[in-house]
Amino acid sequence: MIGMGRLLFELGERLQGKAHLRFITAGWERRIGIVVDDLPSQWQLTIAKGITSWDVWTEEQPADLIIRGAEKQMRMLFGGDELVYALAKEKVQIAGPLRDQLKLDAILRLTCR
């Protein structure tokens, strides 16, 4: 089983490998809180200047978006398979401004293999 840290790292690698996504991420700097219901740790994905970074997240730190779901759905969401991503997107909860939700959706879809 692939851990969340590895999934988020791979997402960053895929984002860096797609130069056309720089136009989408330019000027969009967001912190995304990731709450995995069946794991004790929570993660924060930061996208800034087209680069992603991740770390353990405490809810005391501000987040622009919060994604909540089971570990299985998170693996599907961040795994990089477009068909599996579409299914996972239906099962997770995303809270935050609609504009940011749409931007994140575009980034995750376009970074699929």
Side-chain angles (χ1 to χ4, degrees):
M1 181 180 331
I2 298 176
M4 280 301 299
R6 181 69 183 165
L7 285 173
L8 297 175
F9 173 78
E10 289 175 357
L11 171 65
E13 292 289 309
R14 291 192 311 268
L15 182 61
Q16 290 299 313
K18 299 195 177 195
H20 63 280
L21 293 181
R22 290 186 190 128
F23 296 108
I24 293 175
T25 59
W28 192 70
E29 299 184 6
R30 297 294 183 270
R31 289 177 306 274
I32 302 154
I34 301 169
V35 180
V36 184
D37 292 332
D38 45 354
L39 291 179
S41 59
Q42 299 177 16
W43 300 89
Q44 184 173 52
L45 175 67
T46 304
I47 300 175
K49 299 177 184 167
I51 298 172
T52 63
S53 60
W54 53 271
D55 202 353
V56 174
W57 178 55
T58 61
E59 292 183 11
E60 298 157 356
Q61 299 167 313
D64 300 301
L65 289 170
I66 298 176
I67 303 173
R68 178 182 288 277
E71 180 184 14
K72 180 180 178 181
Q73 277 80 38
M74 293 301 178
R75 282 188 278 126
M76 293 167 62
L77 192 71
F78 295 108
D81 183 328
E82 190 169 2
L83 292 175
V84 174
Y85 167 76
L87 177 64
K89 190 175 82 167
E90 305 270 327
K91 298 188 182 230
V92 298
Q93 299 170 342
I94 302 177
L98 182 59
R99 173 179 256 165
D100 290 339
Q101 291 181 38
L102 293 172
K103 180 81 80 161
L104 178 64
D105 178 54
I107 290 168
L108 292 177
R109 275 187 304 103
L110 293 171
T111 55
C112 288
R113 294 179 205 106

